[in-house]
Amino acid sequence: MRAGVLTEVIVLRRPVTVKDAYGGERVRYEEYCRARAQVKYNAGNRVTESHEIIPSRNVTFTVRHQYDVDEKMRIGYGDNEYLVLSIDRERKRQSITIVTEMVNE
């Protein structure tokens, strides 16, 4: 993996289950680590949900092989948060390719 192509900083976030005062549980994402990555925009689209137009984006992030990434995590990049769709670990290139979709919440 060439270090020169890892030009962007992303935030890897892990899910944490939190209980409120009434015993209800919800999932919160807290920062696991920051990583340098290569970012590629695959596709963008406008989706209509409940009579509302929402932008949708698919982005691929490539990071070094040293990070422990799984499908439950989310990635923060810029002002957006991305849901992990698939992970491809390439030991020969010492990299991890993460395909994501923008979260619309």
Side-chain angles (χ1 to χ4, degrees):
M1 162 132 262
R2 291 183 21 216
V5 298
L6 305 177
T7 58
E8 304 296 325
V9 177
I10 63 171
V11 179
L12 299 171
R13 295 186 175 120
R14 281 189 178 166
V16 176
T17 304
V18 180
K19 285 191 175 187
D20 61 10
Y22 301 106
E25 294 182 352
R26 68 180 188 95
V27 177
R28 187 182 82 211
Y29 289 87
E30 66 180 25
E31 183 174 330
Y32 164 61
C33 69
R34 291 181 181 265
R36 298 199 59 82
Q38 178 183 13
V39 179
K40 291 182 184 175
Y41 290 94
N42 296 335
N45 198 1
R46 287 184 173 185
V47 179
T48 304
E49 291 181 13
S50 301
H51 303 290
E52 183 177 352
I53 297 175
I54 299 172
S56 169
R57 259 186 231 140
N58 290 13
V59 179
T60 300
F61 298 97
T62 304
V63 297
R64 290 192 180 272
H65 196 267
Q66 68 191 29
Y67 301 104
D68 184 25
V69 182
D70 61 18
E71 284 83 5
K72 297 175 186 169
M73 297 177 109
R74 289 194 177 177
I75 296 177
Y77 174 65
D79 294 334
N80 299 318
E81 193 164 305
Y82 295 87
L83 177 69
V84 176
L85 298 177
S86 68
I87 298 172
D88 181 24
R89 300 177 196 284
E90 299 179 57
R91 293 192 186 269
K92 185 180 271 188
R93 291 187 56 212
Q94 296 181 351
S95 67
I96 301 172
T97 303
I98 308 164
V99 178
T100 63
E101 181 178 59
M102 189 171 74
V103 176
N104 292 315
E105 290 181 347

